[in-house]
Amino acid sequence: MATVLDSVRAFFAPVTTYTIDTENSADVVARETLLDRAMGPDRRRKSSEKIRRGRLPAEGLALVARDGHGHVVGTVRLWNVEAGIAMDGAPIEALLLGPLAVDSSFEGKGIGAALMRAAIMEATNRGHGAILLVGDAAYYERFGFAADKTRHLVMPGPFERKRFLALELKAGWLDGAAGMIVACGRKLA
Ligand SMILES: CC(C)(COP(=O)(O)OP(=O)(O)OC[C@H]1O[C@@H](n2cnc3c(N)ncnc32)[C@H](O)[C@@H]1OP(=O)(O)O)[C@@H](O)C(=O)NCCC(=O)NCCS
């Protein structure tokens, strides 16, 4: 029969399994704590943060990774934006991805990749045309992100051009896209 000590041991045992899930309101504190630890206090000064501030993530596109105990060990969210305008002058709807982070004690186990793949699949299933992000090309190019489609786009603040990447979910979605990235998602109440 399992003793109290067995339960305590099981609670602290290394957990190697994880699941990808939709974020819920009970995850917010854990997610923010994880982001502070992974990215530091300067994370709120990023240009991407200007786009996220005061907005809700795109419908169905706030995901978390949970360990075997259900604790949040990874997070990714995507945001509705207008990615400049097309050659006919119409705004181009797209998603801005970020932040992506995984708890440092769970790094290198494929959780970041699982979050990215789940996000890309969900965005595709929901009919979105493209995902943009600002991040290390060395990490994101494995998922198909590249800088060529963003060359005529700008973030609303300082950014490094070589880190400004995009993935088209529909071929040609960003053809001719030019201008500034502007938030267009649902506002926080
Ligand atoms: C980046 C991050 C999300 C990756 O999560 P993860 O679960 O460790 O990623 P995975 O296990 O799917 O992939 C690990 C691989 O990515 C590589 N990798 C991680 N960060 C990288 C980076 N910035 N540039 C290039 N490669 C990177 C690792 O070296 C490893 O390579 P390998 O498969 O050849 O061994 C995580 O390290 C993290 O939260 N970092 C701090 C926050 C951050 O930088 N977020 C991204 C903003 S650009």
Side-chain angles (χ1 to χ4, degrees):
M1 198 169 74
T3 64
V4 172
L5 195 57
D6 288 333
S7 306
V8 172
R9 278 204 196 100
F11 184 82
F12 288 105
V15 180
T16 49
T17 55
Y18 62 87
T19 51
I20 306 300
D21 193 8
T22 308
E23 184 184 283
N24 63 56
S25 54
D27 296 324
V28 172
V29 173
R31 178 244 290 158
E32 288 300 299
T33 307
L34 166 56
L35 288 173
D36 283 341
R37 256 194 266 126
M39 311 189 105
D42 280 354
R43 71 181 173 96
R44 291 193 176 81
R45 293 203 199 116
K46 294 188 173 181
S47 298
S48 311
E49 193 58 32
K50 285 189 186 163
I51 291 169
R52 300 191 278 257
R53 197 170 298 139
R55 303 275 174 173
L56 289 165
E59 192 77 45
L61 288 167
L63 304 178
V64 291
R66 299 187 192 283
D67 69 12
H69 303 298
H71 300 140
V72 172
V73 296
T75 171
V76 69
R77 285 172 295 161
L78 293 88
W79 309 81
N80 299 105
V81 293
E82 287 176 6
I85 52 169
M87 278 181 286
D88 64 2
I92 299 175
E93 287 191 13
L95 295 166
L96 182 74
L97 182 148
L100 166 74
V102 172
D103 186 303
S104 58
S105 52
F106 287 81
E107 275 177 4
K109 300 182 192 305
I111 297 177
L115 281 166
M116 285 300 296
R117 296 213 172 90
I120 292 166
M121 189 187 296
E122 189 62 26
T124 305
N125 290 344
R126 286 175 178 270
H128 293 284
I131 303 175
L132 299 102
L133 60 82
V134 179
D136 292 341
Y139 184 68
Y140 290 106
E141 59 196 11
R142 70 194 70 186
F143 309 109
F145 285 81
D148 56 332
K149 296 282 175 185
T150 64
R151 62 185 177 278
H152 301 302
L153 292 168
V154 291
M155 290 291 288
F159 69 102
E160 279 181 74
R161 167 97 16 229
K162 65 175 190 223
R163 288 167 52 83
F164 189 22
L165 314 173
L167 169 70
E168 285 183 335
L169 306 176
K170 293 181 182 173
W173 190 260
L174 295 174
D175 281 356
M180 189 181 286
I181 307 301
V182 178
C184 67
R186 297 165 297 158
K187 291 194 173 157
L188 274 169

